[in-house]
């Protein structure tokens, strides 16, 4: 199962997100849940890099199955708003996948104090 955890600051903005596990909804190379979740999350990370000209702090396993991304603390103003919009869009897409394939993916959102 893919477990997604979104960490939000006290102002409800996304501070970080992590994805771990494998959906195992189909044979290797044909797992559409894993492929969809990976495409959405990596697309958001790449979109932030290309469109906002910043790099998220990324930790990823070499063999797949783990991704953690954190918004750097120095990001502010309009760029921060754009990053948040792209991350919220990612989350909408992930929720759409989870609605259809809830047996293979969970999403939890935690409210932090930062």
């Amino acid at each position: 199962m893919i477990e997604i955890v979104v960490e939000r600051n006290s102002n409800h903005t996304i501070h970080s997100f992590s994805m771990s596990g494998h959906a195992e909804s189909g044979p290797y190379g044909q797992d559409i849940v894993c492929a969809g979740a990976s495409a959405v999350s990596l697309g958001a990370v790449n979109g932030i890099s290309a469109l906002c000209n910043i790099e998220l702090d990324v930790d990823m396993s070499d063999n797949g199955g783990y991704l953690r991304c954190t918004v750097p603390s120095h990001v502010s103003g309009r760029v921060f708003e754009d990053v948040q919009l792209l991350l919220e869009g990612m989350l909408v897409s992930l929720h759409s996948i989870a609605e259809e394939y809830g047996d293979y993916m969970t999403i939890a959102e935690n409210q932090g104090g930062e």
Side-chain angles (χ1 to χ4, degrees):
M1 174 166 295
I2 297 173
E3 296 178 353
I4 299 165
V5 178
V6 178
E7 300 288 341
R8 292 184 179 272
N9 294 323
S10 58
N11 60 358
H12 304 289
T13 59
I14 297 174
H15 167 69
S16 66
F17 73 91
S18 64
M19 295 178 61
S20 62
H22 294 282
E24 298 180 4
S25 68
Y28 181 79
Q30 297 177 4
D31 188 337
I32 63 170
V33 177
C34 190
S38 295
V40 167
S41 60
L42 293 174
V45 171
N46 291 336
I48 289 167
S49 176
L51 301 172
C52 300
N53 202 28
I54 67 148
E55 299 293 328
L56 298 178
D57 296 329
V58 176
D59 182 18
M60 189 165 52
S61 70
D62 290 336
N63 63 349
Y66 181 77
L67 171 68
R68 179 173 174 77
C69 299
T70 304
V71 178
S73 59
H74 66 80
V75 178
S76 62
R78 176 60 192 255
V79 172
F80 182 80
E81 292 173 12
D82 291 346
V83 168
Q84 290 299 308
L85 183 62
L86 290 166
L87 289 174
E88 293 292 353
M90 174 196 75
L91 195 52
V92 167
S93 294
L94 291 172
H95 275 290
S96 295
I97 296 169
E99 284 178 22
E100 187 72 24
Y101 300 100
D103 291 342
Y104 305 104
M105 187 165 83
T106 62
I107 301 173
E109 297 189 43
N110 298 327
Q111 184 68 36
E114 289 185 35

